[in-house]
Amino acid sequence: MLLEARGITKSFAGVRALDGVDFDVRPGEVHVLLGENGAGKSTLVKVLAGVHSPDDGRVERAPGTRLAVIHQELALVPNLSVAENLFLGRPPRRFGFVDKARMRHDAQRLLDRVGLRLDPATPVGGLGIAQQQMVEIARALDLDAQVLVLDEPTAVLTDTETDRLLEIMAELRDRGVGLVFITHHLDEIRRIADRITVLRDGRSVGVLPRGASVDRMIELMVGRAIAERYPRRRGTPGEVLFEVEGLTRAGAFQDVSFRVRAGEVVGIAGLVGAGRTEVVRAAFGVDRYDAGRVKVAGRVLPGHDVRAAMRAGLGLVPEDRKAQGLVLTSTVGDNLGLVTLRSTARAGLVDRVGQRTRAREVADALRVKTSGLGQSVRELSGGNQQKVVIGKWLLADPRVLVLDEPTRGVDVGAKVEIYELVNRMTAAGRAVVLVSSDLPEVIGMSDRIVVMAQGRVAGELPAGTTQDRVMALAVQEFPA
Amino acid sequence: MSSTVDGRTAFARRALADNGALAGLLLLVVALSVLAPSFLSTQNLLNVGVQAAVVAVLAFGSTYVIVSGGIDLSVGSVAALSAMVGAWSSAEAGLPGPVALLLGLLTGVVAGLVNGTLVAYGKLPAFIATLAMLSVARGLTLVVSQGSPLTTPDVVSFLGSNLTPFLPVPLLVMLLFFGITGFVLSRTYSGRAMYAIGGNEEAARLSGIDTKRQKLVVYALSGLFAAVAGMLLAGRLSSAGPQAAVGYELDAIAAVVIGGASLSGGVGRATGTLVGALVLAVLRNGLNQLQVSPFWQQVVIGAVIALAVLLDTLRRRTR
């Protein structure tokens, strides 16, 4: 046993985050930690790493065991090079000076090990988030940790990158490293887990063996069986509400067209970097575009004007809820009221009572788990934070709502609630655009799927298509 | 009956826990009234209020800026320039007092709009834009005044006088602007937008808030408040000096920060800033009463600023 925790209990401000949890890590295994957002996974990891000391219970490590944690939030210095980040705080030295040649050489070796083809001199800030993640993993590898904790590393990775990461994890396991793996992707668990500990509401509700069924995992995690993972209810599409025609921005996307009808969910699939997010941001007026036009209910929107897009009835739930969706320093109530702040104000004065009433209604309707509207939104779990971002848009009642990765890092239970919300919107005659990297989700929830590759529309597929067909379009190459 | 009393003590306890600076201020007042018997006299307390007024009004303006994630280093210079323009308009150009006062206030707004334009549309860091304005406004003050003080019009001198022996005008102006600031921050669209912009500008923009225009509002308000503070200061002396309010921007920032605002934006309140300004004024006054040398006063004040923010940080962390 490399690491053994017994009866861990931990409370924050009277709220019990962990309640008598047992957990251990053996050499040469992948031990998955599974649970909904707010179940206590991250707290447990922090207790294991010694960041929090438990109120009760104890953590024992085998002598000399080193533990490295790869967090969801990346801890890299953007303006330093990949090599400098890999050896941050402990660069190879010669005569007291940094040995740049050796650093470069060692960095290259580490990058090769994680299969990242990159010049070690590249500044980290210029890398995509997936590549940054791999750099973090490479750094942990060099620390030679016997226990490696990966906290949702695949949430931002593409399928190929995920495959590569799982391979690396398998290699590490074969070398005797004990891995703790946190993920919401149940198929990944089926592929790599040796043991699965399921947490719910701060308690360990069961340990499953390798090969446990997805249904069993969900049932333990949610505490009940979920009938349908993708409960899409289709209606008859109405008039065209949202049209993107020949949208082009040099170097980002080219000649992108699609239309969405009332009552319809149109999915946008594609690999990371295919230009999906760029297109919807430009359509919403956040960023510029060079050519093409965007129409909502037949009216052409002026470019680069978020407020005009909003007035026309367009809404966008952005892909990164912490960086783009939430004001983390504010309360749940203030965040819910952000989009409607202006439209409900009179003579520059905020409609405080109305804003509060509406926020409470939408928080109840979305079943946001919060102690009240005055709670800091920072304290909510990921799934509940996402509900707040969606909720502030629901209050504006947009005719067309674009959801960019709405369920990233969100647990199964909350995912289904978000899907039900999409159903309610389309049933009320609204249109939804669903941008997602989660193929089963896009296929399960969309009525049509637009697949993008290299900044262009590679093709359109009907509902109920297969993952293979989507991927075949997504990897399509266009002549330059 | 007892439940109201409980409610009141609970409210008081929450107010204290919520605002470490208020607890510090009360502690300071108690300590000084024991150490220096003359401290608690009505006349002296009114003095403290008057002394706090200039920095408090500057600091209310800075609260908007800091809540929205910016910084305004130019408020001391803008205060001096506004007062000088007011004094020059009446003393040299012969305009009626009220018109001169308005021109002075307008000067503050214009300086603020320039700051806001540079920050919002020129994409300059607020530190740089307002550092430039600090120098420009001070230079213009010297140009306008030709280096010597000018007499203020009566209407400005009134701002520094007493209505009755127990009712100093600066105190009233401070309370008025405290009320305005509390109202703007909590009730107006612009005020709520400031919190959103300071907390997460990108999220604010994606929620349809016109972040650029709101930044203009923020710096214009800061400039206007600086001009009012400048008038208060000049009014007390009945003269606008070219070297007035040098370094006051740092006192203003200190007051806002002691009041619990975060320099990274999104957090801050009018009550906190008022308490912060009072802490600085009480401290200065008390140290004078205790006949501490001005040299050591600076040391003590610096230490108190560091201590106040340190305690606040620790308090937040233990939550």
Side-chain angles (χ1 to χ4, degrees), chain B residues 83 104 121 129 152 187 218 223 231 253 272 285 290-291 296 300 315:
Chain B
Y121 296 93
T152 54
R187 301 289 179 97
V218 164
M231 296 299 172
I253 293 167
N285 176 282
L290 295 172
Q291 295 177 344
W296 280 106
V300 172
R315 196 173 51 86

Side-chain angles (χ1 to χ4, degrees), chain A residues 307 326 334 348 350 352 392, chain B residues 187 189 192 200 203 206-208:
Chain A
R307 302 255 307 281
L326 294 168
D334 279 348
V350 172
R352 295 215 299 178
K392 72 174 179 179
Chain B
R187 301 289 179 97
Y189 168 72
R192 300 319 296 169
N200 186 344
L206 291 183
S207 299

Side-chain angles (χ1 to χ4, degrees), chain A residues 59-347:
Chain A
V59 181
E60 279 173 14
R61 284 189 203 182
T65 304
R66 259 182 300 186
L67 177 141
V69 182
I70 312 235
H71 290 284
Q72 276 167 283
E73 274 85 24
L74 300 175
L76 297 172
V77 186
N79 48 351
L80 293 185
S81 73
V82 169
E84 283 166 316
N85 268 288
L86 285 172
F87 299 102
L88 204 62
R90 46 186 187 90
R93 270 177 250 215
R94 214 166 70 160
F95 312 125
F97 296 98
V98 174
D99 184 348
K100 286 221 165 176
R102 209 179 100 208
M103 184 157 85
R104 212 186 140 78
H105 176 261
D106 290 356
Q108 192 64 62
R109 191 176 46 81
L110 282 172
L111 293 179
D112 290 345
R113 237 168 96 191
V114 296
L116 198 56
R117 269 175 295 166
L118 255 188
D119 182 355
T122 322
V124 160
L127 302 182
I129 194 148
Q131 288 177 313
Q132 294 191 20
Q133 180 100 55
M134 299 304 260
V135 171
E136 280 247 33
I137 292 165
R139 178 159 77 179
L141 291 184
D142 187 60
L143 289 171
D144 226 7
Q146 286 88 2
V147 178
L148 186 59
V149 182
L150 299 126
D151 191 352
E152 281 195 56
T154 56
V156 294
L157 300 187
T158 62
D159 288 348
T160 339
E161 288 161 340
T162 300
D163 289 346
R164 180 67 198 137
L165 178 64
L166 294 185
E167 273 171 36
I168 293 167
M169 287 172 62
E171 275 168 36
L172 290 171
R173 168 171 63 189
D174 295 342
R175 290 200 346 237
V177 175
L179 294 116
V180 179
F181 183 35
I182 299 179
T183 179
H184 285 301
H185 294 285
L186 303 179
D187 54 315
E188 290 166 10
I189 299 177
R190 304 245 322 145
R191 281 163 66 188
I192 193 135
D194 297 306
R195 267 198 299 166
I196 307 156
T197 291
V198 185
L199 290 185
R200 191 197 323 144
D201 298 332
R203 289 165 202 256
S204 167
V205 289
V207 180
L208 298 172
R210 177 206 304 261
S213 75
V214 165
D215 288 345
R216 182 80 187 112
M217 287 189 248
I218 293 177
E219 198 179 326
L220 267 186
M221 191 164 46
V222 186
R224 60 189 150 87
I226 284 192
E228 264 184 298
R229 288 183 68 191
Y230 302 105
R232 174 72 187 137
R233 285 189 303 277
R234 290 181 182 88
T236 328
E239 45 164 353
V240 175
L241 277 186
F242 185 47
E243 285 168 275
V244 172
E245 290 173 2
L247 214 61
T248 300
R249 185 170 77 223
F253 46 85
Q254 202 179 340
D255 198 19
V256 173
S257 303
F258 59 89
R259 42 172 59 184
V260 189
R261 293 173 179 278
E264 222 184 7
V265 178
V266 169
I268 302 188
L271 302 177
V272 169
R276 297 167 301 168
T277 296
E278 288 78 359
V279 166
V280 293
R281 275 175 66 97
F284 184 57
V286 183
D287 303 321
R288 281 181 316 96
Y289 49 85
D290 303 328
R293 50 183 193 167
V294 180
K295 287 200 257 182
V296 174
R299 286 233 313 275
V300 179
L301 299 186
H304 204 30
D305 188 344
V306 173
R307 302 255 307 281
M310 279 172 62
R311 275 195 300 272
L314 191 58
L316 169 71
V317 172
E319 62 170 340
D320 185 338
R321 65 175 161 267
K322 282 188 179 166
Q324 302 162 342
L326 294 168
V327 181
L328 287 172
T329 47
S330 288
T331 62
V332 172
D334 279 348
N335 271 285
L336 282 171
L338 207 54
V339 172
T340 41
L341 189 64
R342 190 184 186 89
S343 55
T344 59
R346 282 177 182 222

